[in-house]
Amino acid sequence: MKRLCLLVVLLFIAGPGYGQGSPQGSSVWIDDLTWPEVQEAIAAGKRTAIIYAGSSEQNGPHMVIGKHNFIARALAQRIAEELGDALVYPVLPYAITGNAVTRTGHMRFPGSVSLPPEAFFGVVRGVAQSALTAGFKVVALMGDHGGGQDELALAAKELDGEARASGTRVLFIGDLYAKSRVEMRDILAKRGLPTDEDHAGIPDTSSLLYLEKQGQWVRQDKIALADAKNGVRGHPQHASAELGKIYLDLKVDLAVKQVRSLLAASK
């Protein structure tokens, strides 16, 4: 229990996106609000809490470790604004990326961070419960990284079963990750581009090319061909900001549609 508590503390200390300087009371981010402002926002109709997990992991020699976290912050805000009734909790910057002891998965590369599955699950469940305690009627769990999708789904299932009795919902928004990957492969195929993109390839690299403002996240001179030895499983040489916009728009659209569909189905 002490170790889990420590992980929770470290998680939020290290979380990205603090101190953005948003105008008082106008931000969709919990971090930018005081507790009375959160309370007032809920009373005024902000009924949905978004909890979005990123990840800190290697992304080849050409892309920064914070990729998932930068994407998560950008998309969480867009999803909240599209829904119109949502606030966003701090992006969870760590996920399940391999075994830190045996150095499997992304943990073969310096800079990657991995949480044990039970710790990740505990943090997600704890944040979601906190949102319910705050008074939100809908809690939407989603993640930008493959590791942890099962734990997000399980946390949503457990809490939703308990919350329904009081008229609240906890939803797993899995389409943002799984369905977007499938649909993006179809888009790449229609353009005659490689579709065997798993990690740090066309979709990932394109996303950061679109989001970055000063070329600070993608090292153009280090874009490499697919090579498991350097952490790339894809073809980043075909990436473009245009494809990044398509992929990110797709994620937002799928997430918003799934939230609305799940809520409509439960009425």
Side-chain angles (χ1 to χ4, degrees), residues 62-250:
H62 70 287
M63 194 157 49
V64 295
I65 284 168
K67 174 198 74 183
H68 282 305
N69 295 328
F70 301 142
I71 292 172
R73 181 160 181 92
L75 296 196
Q77 176 154 341
R78 287 184 56 188
I79 292 166
E81 291 169 349
E82 285 281 336
L83 289 172
D85 69 345
L87 294 180
V88 188
Y89 276 74
V91 169
L92 306 183
Y94 306 133
I96 304 165
T97 66
N99 189 304
V101 177
T102 58
R103 299 185 180 183
T104 61
H106 297 307
M107 296 311 296
R108 294 174 294 143
F109 302 89
S112 298
V113 178
S114 186
L115 293 181
E118 66 276 11
F120 180 75
F121 171 80
V123 169
V124 169
R125 198 182 194 286
V127 179
Q129 182 61 65
S130 297
L132 292 172
T133 300
F136 289 100
K137 296 300 183 183
V138 179
V139 179
L141 305 181
M142 57 196 77
D144 210 68
H145 170 65
Q149 294 292 316
D150 290 343
E151 286 73 16
L152 287 164
L154 180 59
K157 182 179 179 180
E158 287 190 2
L159 287 172
D160 192 54
E162 301 167 5
R164 278 180 179 246
S166 60
T168 56
R169 297 298 310 277
V170 181
L171 311 173
F172 170 54
I173 309 304
D175 286 357
L176 178 143
Y177 177 77
K179 196 170 182 179
S180 69
R181 287 165 64 86
V182 173
E183 294 194 14
M184 191 61 186
R185 288 191 189 106
D186 291 340
I187 292 170
L188 294 177
K190 289 177 181 177
R191 294 186 175 215
L193 294 171
T195 59
D196 54 335
E197 301 298 301
D198 184 54
H199 181 73
I202 300 173
D204 286 348
T205 306
S206 294
S207 296
L208 282 204
L209 284 174
Y210 177 71
L211 290 176
E212 68 179 5
K213 294 179 173 58
Q214 298 177 335
Q216 74 272 41
W217 293 335
V218 179
R219 315 292 191 249
Q220 296 277 2
D221 61 333
K222 291 184 170 59
I223 290 181
L225 298 176
D227 186 348
K229 292 181 180 178
N230 63 26
V232 177
R233 297 192 298 273
H235 305 79
Q237 70 271 26
H238 297 297
S240 68
E242 179 208 1
L243 285 171
K245 182 180 187 305
I246 291 172
Y247 189 40
L248 297 178
D249 287 350
L250 183 62

Side-chain angles (χ1 to χ4, degrees), residues 9-28:
V9 172
L10 292 176
L11 181 67
F12 288 101
I13 289 175
Y18 291 93
Q20 297 299 307
S22 298
Q24 181 176 329
S26 67
S27 176
V28 298

Side-chain angles (χ1 to χ4, degrees), residues 47-65:
R47 62 193 297 265
T48 302
I50 293 173
I51 298 172
Y52 200 138
S55 182
S56 298
E57 63 192 44
Q58 70 81 23
N59 287 288
H62 70 287
M63 194 157 49
V64 295
I65 284 168

